[in-house]
Amino acid sequence: MKKLHIETYGCQMNIADSEVVASILADLYEITDQQKEADLILINTCSVRDNAEQRIRKRLRELGSLKKKNNKLLIGLLGCMAERIKEQLLTEEKALDFIAGPDAYRTLPKLIEEASRGELSFNVILSEEETYDNIAPIRYDGNGISAYIPIMRGCNNFCTYCIVPYTRGRERSRDPKTILEEATHLFENGYREVTLLGQNVNSYLWKEESEPLDFAGLMEQVALISPLLRVRFATSHPKDISDKLIQTIAKYPNICKYIHLPVQSGSSAVLKKMNRVYNREYYLERISTIKKWIPEIALSTDILSGFCGETNQDHQDTLSIMKEVEYASAFMFRYSVRNGTKAAENLIDDVPDDVKAKRLEEIIALQQHLSLENNQKDIGKVFEVLVEGVSKRSDKKMFGRTSQNKVCVFPRQEAKVGDYVHVKVVSCTAGTLITELVDPC
Ligand code: SAH
Ligand code: SF4
Ligand code: F3S
């Protein structure tokens, strides 16, 4: 059988999509992690920031030289960059034989067949219905205990800086029956953690039954599969983090006590320009409700620094909201203009690069401090941890994560991957809890 190598860039949705692609092509190709032995290399790409695209351009140049050595090798580009740049990519990047946008993966066998006859082929049509719901993903790169389950695709929010609504198309929810079947099947096959995925999972809505099902309802049904199955989700928009959802997270011990709630900025003026449809006060109110109902919650966020018109005061407001929320962790970015977005069309990218860089540095330094402080508060506490594997740094240690999504290391003993163990935190860094095994209390 021919061999397929897939490289995945970008977000968790892309990781999940690559698993769907592996399944669509399973009759034609088996997966290899060795690019050298591949007959087909697929690059699943991200367009969210310019540097993400530059990295992929560089990779395509490297693959061009690989192709010179093996003229049978086919190279296809998938994902958001295919959608953003479309056919133009095929003329710009000589290494490419075909491209397929995020909703076109069912047509891959045809695209590959055309490409192998020497035709440059592409399909970047976005769909309003495609959710790949009847395709069982092949978890070719997983740990056998944690899996992603896409529950929706696309995004309707049109934050002014963001390319995703253009590359992924309109929001659509996946049939809950297929989600529950997939989660149950995973559990029966030894999986112990599922992450329900979408660009904005908390606007999930399935209307095709007499009773509409929202995200809180869906998550509850997944949680009821087994108390031994952990449920996570990513990512959520602050506008949709309802009381009902917070109460559902609080109610089920196996729904993880971790919420990724991207704030982007602490300044209401900047949030308005970003079209985030909430302000600082609303966001902080949601955070205090979350903390009231789920005191053990860990919060993480995305921060976008140096957006159009951001003043020093706006930047100070971002630093102060970070302190107020006490995020356990954060993904922090400097604003990068994306052609085609509302910000590129209507706003001026007026924060100089050096100022963007300095602000981002301050944000990262503050988060490092907050993460350390947050972890220090866990010293002496006992947590249940799902064992994920042997530590990369030492084969005498294992690692796993708490419900709060914090990585713990502990001495290697009887525990097996997929077991739940109890650990007590003895010390920490900003990124890891150093723990010892204890008996459950
Ligand atoms: N749907 C997710 C975000 C997906 S993109 C959500 O709304 O939570 C992940 C993050 O990339 C965003 O939260 C934002 O912080 C960042 N991002 C998006 N567009 C960007 C841009 N043009 N420049 C820099 N960072 C950007
Ligand atoms: Fe982009 Fe906003 Fe949609 Fe997230 S919610 S994918 S940031 S448009
Ligand atoms: Fe990137 Fe597309 Fe995800 S732009 S962040 S791969 S949705």
Side-chain angles (χ1 to χ4, degrees):
M1 204 182 213
K2 287 188 171 172
K3 294 216 158 66
L4 163 65
H5 179 71
I6 310 183
E7 283 178 27
T8 305
Y9 298 85
C11 64
Q12 295 152 322
M13 289 296 291
N14 262 13
I15 299 176
D17 279 1
S18 290
E19 296 178 341
V20 165
V21 166
S23 173
I24 289 171
L25 295 177
D27 290 342
L28 303 170
Y29 291 91
E30 65 186 1
I31 291 280
T32 171
D33 57 5
Q34 302 295 316
Q35 68 162 43
K36 273 193 247 112
E37 60 179 37
D39 302 284
L40 169 64
I41 298 181
L42 293 174
I43 315 287
N44 196 357
T45 60
C46 175
S47 280
V48 81
R49 282 167 288 278
D50 186 54
N51 58 6
E53 287 196 353
Q54 292 313 325
R55 214 171 127 208
I56 290 157
R57 297 266 186 182
K58 182 162 168 267
R59 185 71 190 116
L60 289 175
R61 286 194 294 276
E62 285 166 17
L63 288 173
S65 44
L66 196 69
K67 232 178 145 174
K68 283 196 191 112
K69 289 183 213 141
N70 172 5
N71 60 6
K72 292 225 176 67
L73 175 64
L74 289 178
I75 297 181
L77 187 132
L78 315 177
C80 291
M81 212 169 145
E83 198 59 55
R84 196 179 84 76
I85 313 182
K86 305 194 169 71
E87 306 91 278
Q88 192 192 330
L89 259 178
L90 284 173
T91 43
E92 284 172 9
E93 298 293 344
K94 299 291 174 224
L96 288 179
D97 297 293
F98 63 94
I99 64 172
D103 289 342
Y105 299 150
R106 285 183 203 264
T107 64
L108 276 170
K110 181 169 162 282
L111 294 172
I112 294 167
E113 208 248 313
E114 286 166 3
S116 59
R117 290 200 309 259
E119 293 169 31
L120 286 178
S121 57
F122 61 90
N123 183 350
V124 290
I125 298 168
L126 286 173
S127 150
E128 299 208 342
E129 285 102 38
E130 181 62 274
T131 57
Y132 300 113
D133 60 356
N134 61 346
I135 293 177
I138 297 183
R139 320 266 172 193
Y140 63 89
D141 199 20
N143 60 3
I145 56 152
S146 309
Y148 293 131
I149 304 184
I151 62 162
M152 62 193 301
R153 296 179 75 79
C155 179
N156 286 351
N157 291 321
F158 290 94
C159 302
T160 54
Y161 51 82
C162 184
I163 195 73
V164 172
Y166 307 91
T167 62
R168 292 267 168 179
R170 295 293 57 75
E171 195 174 278
R172 62 216 100 121
S173 295
R174 173 177 170 188
D175 186 340
K177 275 200 248 33
T178 67
I179 298 172
L180 289 165
E181 273 163 21
E182 193 171 322
T184 306
H185 181 75
L186 285 164
F187 181 72
E188 285 166 354
N189 283 281
Y191 281 76
R192 290 295 172 262
E193 183 173 77
V194 292
T195 303
L196 307 180
L197 276 190
Q199 290 302 347
N200 177 18
V201 283
N202 42 17
S203 68
Y204 176 90
L205 191 62
W206 184 255
K207 290 181 283 202
E208 287 179 30
E209 312 293 326
S210 50
E211 279 285 298
L213 183 67
D214 63 8
F215 180 58
L218 174 72
M219 197 160 57
E220 183 163 44
Q221 291 193 20
V222 178
L224 287 169
I225 290 173
S226 165
L228 288 177
L229 182 68
R230 277 184 170 181
V231 186
R232 297 187 183 276
F233 58 97
T235 81
S236 30
H237 193 297
K239 75 178 167 64
D240 298 312
I241 186 104
S242 63
D243 287 358
K244 181 182 174 198
L245 179 56
I246 301 170
Q247 280 158 353
T248 307
I249 299 169
K251 183 172 165 193
Y252 291 93
N254 57 329
I255 299 183
C256 289
K257 303 299 177 258
Y258 167 75
I259 304 180
H260 181 67
L261 200 61
V263 66
Q264 312 299 356
S265 168
S267 152
S268 295
V270 174
L271 289 169
K272 191 148 192 252
K273 282 192 201 129
M274 291 176 163
N275 189 32
R276 289 291 289 178
V277 303
Y278 55 85
N279 60 20
R280 179 185 175 100
E281 288 66 39
Y282 167 88
Y283 185 91
L284 286 172
E285 184 283 317
R286 289 289 80 193
I287 295 289
S288 67
T289 303
I290 293 171
K291 286 184 178 172
K292 188 172 78 197
W293 287 335
I294 320 173
E296 70 275 36
I297 199 77
L299 294 155
S300 71
T301 200
D302 289 353
I303 295 175
L304 181 46
S305 162
F307 188 57
C308 308
E310 185 188 76
T311 63
N312 187 43
Q313 183 55 51
D314 295 325
H315 169 60
Q316 296 304 323
D317 290 348
T318 296
L319 297 174
S320 77
I321 207 168
M322 291 169 69
K323 286 185 212 152
E324 205 162 329
V325 178
E326 299 178 310
Y327 293 112
S329 60
F331 298 94
M332 298 154 284
F333 312 101
R334 93 160 73 166
Y335 173 55
S336 148
V337 184
R338 310 312 292 132
N339 285 341
T341 59
K342 286 277 177 293
E345 279 166 20
N346 303 331
L347 301 171
I348 304 167
D349 179 27
D350 54 0
V351 180
D353 274 352
D354 57 332
V355 177
K356 279 186 191 166
K358 185 165 165 290
R359 287 182 187 166
L360 183 60
E361 255 171 49
E362 285 174 18
I363 288 168
I364 292 171
L366 173 60
Q367 186 53 50
Q368 183 76 4
H369 171 75
L370 291 175
S371 298
L372 182 62
E373 244 180 24
N374 200 291
N375 282 352
Q376 280 166 343
K377 286 193 191 141
D378 289 338
I379 293 177
K381 289 189 195 159
V382 171
F383 291 97
E384 187 182 62
V385 164
L386 175 60
V387 181
E388 286 181 37
V390 176
S391 161
K392 287 184 193 82
R393 295 224 178 131
S394 155
D395 61 5
K396 296 195 180 61
K397 292 197 162 170
M398 299 194 87
F399 77 99
R401 274 175 303 153
T402 64
S403 171
Q404 287 76 7
N405 208 29
K406 293 190 182 178
V407 174
C408 294
V409 293
F410 48 89
R412 190 170 182 169
Q413 286 175 7
E414 307 291 276
K416 291 190 307 299
V417 172
D419 283 351
Y420 285 101
V421 296
H422 284 80
V423 300
K424 185 172 180 181
V425 182
V426 290
S427 67
C428 68
T429 66
T432 310
L433 300 177
I434 320 293
T435 69
E436 59 192 25
L437 287 161
V438 291
D439 290 330
C441 342

